[in-house]
Amino acid sequence: GLAVDYTVHLGHTYTAAAAETREGKTAAAATVMGPTVVAGAFTTFGVAFFMFFCQLTFFTKMATLIGGTVGYSLLYSLFFYVPLLALVGPSGKLRSTAERLRAMYRA
C-alpha cells in the first residue's frame, strides 16, 4: 500500500479535476496534490531518519525499507506517472462506473 499511495492520490485528483483537457487535469493534480504528496514523503523520511540511529538491526533495516519504498514511490509518481497522465491520460468529463453502467443499460 505504501508504494502506490502517492500515485493513487495523484490519479484521484486528476480524475476529479474540473478541467476538460489533459493539461488542465495534470496541472490540477500537480498543484493540488503534488505538495501534499511531497510533504507526506518528507515526514515519512523523517521517521526513517531517526530509525537509522537505533541499535537494533530490525529498526535500521526497516528504515532502509521505508525510506527506499517512499523514495522510489515519490520519484515514480512525480516523474513518471504525472507526465504519463499529461501524455495519454483520459480527458473530457470522466464518468463513474455507476454512471457508465446506467448509460450502458439504457442503450
Side-chain angles (χ1 to χ4, degrees):
L2 189 61
V4 299
D5 189 39
Y6 304 140
T7 305
V8 170
H9 280 80
L10 289 164
H12 179 262
T13 306
Y14 179 91
T15 59
E20 296 276 332
T21 64
R22 285 187 190 110
E23 294 82 14
K25 289 180 177 294
T26 302
T31 57
V32 171
M33 193 55 64
T36 305
V37 165
V38 172
F42 278 124
T43 58
T44 308
F45 278 132
V47 170
F49 175 76
F50 286 107
M51 289 173 67
F52 275 117
F53 299 108
C54 293
Q55 293 182 2
L56 293 175
T57 306
F58 170 79
F59 290 113
T60 57
K61 289 184 183 259
M62 187 59 117
T64 304
L65 176 71
I66 291 172
T69 302
V70 169
Y72 283 119
S73 179
L74 185 66
L75 288 174
Y76 172 79
S77 64
L78 292 179
F79 298 112
F80 177 75
Y81 184 67
V82 172
L84 187 66
L85 286 175
L87 291 173
V88 295
S91 59
K93 183 183 181 308
L94 303 177
R95 298 184 299 175
S96 68
T97 304
E99 291 172 333
R100 289 176 189 233
L101 288 172
R102 276 187 240 123
M104 186 174 70
Y105 286 118
R106 285 186 199 144

